[in-house]
Amino acid sequence: MKIDFRVKLLLTMVTGIVAIEGSIGQRYQFLGFLVAIFPYILAVFDKKFSFVFKGLFYSLLAISIENYSLIIGEKFLAMILNLYGEIVIRILPGVMMGYYTMTTTSMSDLVYSLQKMKMPDVIIIPISVMFRFFYSIKEDYKKINEAMYMHGITFKNFFKNPMKYLEYKFVPLLMITSQSADNVAISAMTRAMKLSCPRTSISNQKFKIYDYILFIFAIILMFLFVRVKLC
């Protein structure tokens, strides 16, 4: 199910606002539960089961910690545990929805959707360059870890020789970061991403039936959120 980026962006904002504020969950418990697991429902359709497992694990852990804080006697520790549980439960849905949005959106779809939203080039170009940069750094970081593993430098060596571990980890990463920034900027120019320069796109994203359904769902959530706040 390839959801349009514009719909995913709207769902990310709505989910984050509704989950953090929490008033809908107090008034409509079913909706509050649905908002909490909504990113994982979408991830199931995309077969991102590791994403679902991690999200549900941290959610259940936060709920367990919050419930445990109610039965322990020490007030200060209970307050700390309850605060941690509340923060995770309220912030995690928006964070996971944003993570799902970015990991399931290709760069061409992202740029095409921003152009459809009539975003100016001064916003589109930095965003596209920034996300290409992060993706490049992520791949380079994996290669650094693989090279360290081949040389027998793993995390268990950190306690034996922490300075050597940090040197082999971060010195190459800092050097690659500087080089990647230049390469990504040059790549953007070769793709004709210049100010006031029209460009074609291989993306053919358009709203489908499930996009309209999810869009209406987000609008209903915002309507109920405003209604709860005003009542």
Side-chain angles (χ1 to χ4, degrees):
M1 186 170 65
K2 192 175 182 181
I3 305 172
D4 191 280
F5 173 75
R6 291 164 286 183
V7 177
K8 288 188 285 188
L9 182 61
L10 177 62
L11 288 170
T12 300
M13 294 187 293
V14 172
T15 301
I17 294 172
V18 170
I20 290 176
E21 204 280 331
S23 58
I24 284 186
Q26 296 173 1
R27 178 71 66 88
Y28 310 101
Q29 294 184 356
F30 173 75
L31 273 179
F33 176 74
L34 180 60
V35 169
I37 65 171
F38 190 70
Y40 316 124
I41 295 176
L42 297 180
V44 168
F45 285 103
D46 285 318
K47 299 181 179 180
K48 291 185 171 295
F49 299 112
S50 61
F51 173 86
V52 176
F53 175 78
K54 292 177 183 178
L56 292 178
F57 171 77
Y58 288 120
S59 299
L60 292 174
L61 180 63
I63 293 173
S64 301
I65 290 175
E66 190 176 23
N67 291 332
Y68 176 72
S69 67
L70 299 176
I71 61 176
I72 61 177
E74 189 175 349
K75 293 184 178 180
F76 178 75
L77 180 59
M79 181 186 68
I80 296 298
L81 293 177
N82 187 63
L83 179 63
Y84 170 78
E86 281 291 325
I87 290 175
V88 173
I89 291 172
R90 296 202 175 193
I91 293 180
L92 191 62
V95 172
M96 297 304 283
M97 188 65 213
Y99 181 78
Y100 167 82
T101 298
M102 299 316 304
T103 54
T104 57
T105 304
S106 64
M107 195 55 57
S108 58
D109 290 340
L110 173 64
V111 174
Y112 181 77
S113 297
L114 291 176
Q115 289 176 337
K116 284 293 185 180
M117 295 166 64
K118 305 301 181 183
M119 288 288 183
D121 290 339
V122 293
I123 295 179
I124 296 176
I125 294 176
I127 289 177
S128 61
V129 171
M130 178 179 65
F131 282 105
R132 282 195 177 95
F133 172 76
F134 286 145
Y135 178 79
S136 177
I137 293 300
K138 179 182 177 181
E139 294 300 315
D140 291 333
Y141 186 76
K142 289 182 180 179
K143 293 177 182 178
I144 292 174
N145 287 334
E146 292 173 357
M148 292 177 62
Y149 180 79
M150 292 177 62
H151 286 82
I153 305 174
T154 58
F155 184 73
K156 64 182 180 181
N157 301 113
F158 175 79
F159 300 98
K160 296 180 180 179
N161 193 345
M163 294 304 299
K164 180 179 180 181
Y165 180 86
L166 294 176
E167 178 185 357
Y168 278 74
K169 172 76 75 172
F170 293 106
V171 171
L173 185 62
L174 291 174
M175 297 177 64
I176 292 174
T177 300
S178 177
Q179 184 179 0
S180 296
D182 295 334
N183 292 339
V184 170
I186 295 172
S187 174
M189 294 181 63
T190 58
R191 292 171 182 263
M193 297 193 68
K194 299 180 181 179
L195 292 175
S196 302
C197 178
R199 61 189 298 271
T200 58
S201 176
I202 62 174
S203 176
N204 58 352
Q205 273 201 330
K206 59 182 179 180
F207 272 35
K208 302 177 180 64
I209 295 177
Y210 49 79
D211 289 313
Y212 287 106
I213 294 174
L214 293 174
F215 182 83
I216 293 173
F217 172 72
I219 297 299
I220 292 174
L221 274 181
M222 284 304 300
F223 172 77
L224 291 175
F225 173 75
V226 175
R227 181 181 177 184
V228 170
K229 294 301 294 181
L230 294 179
C231 294

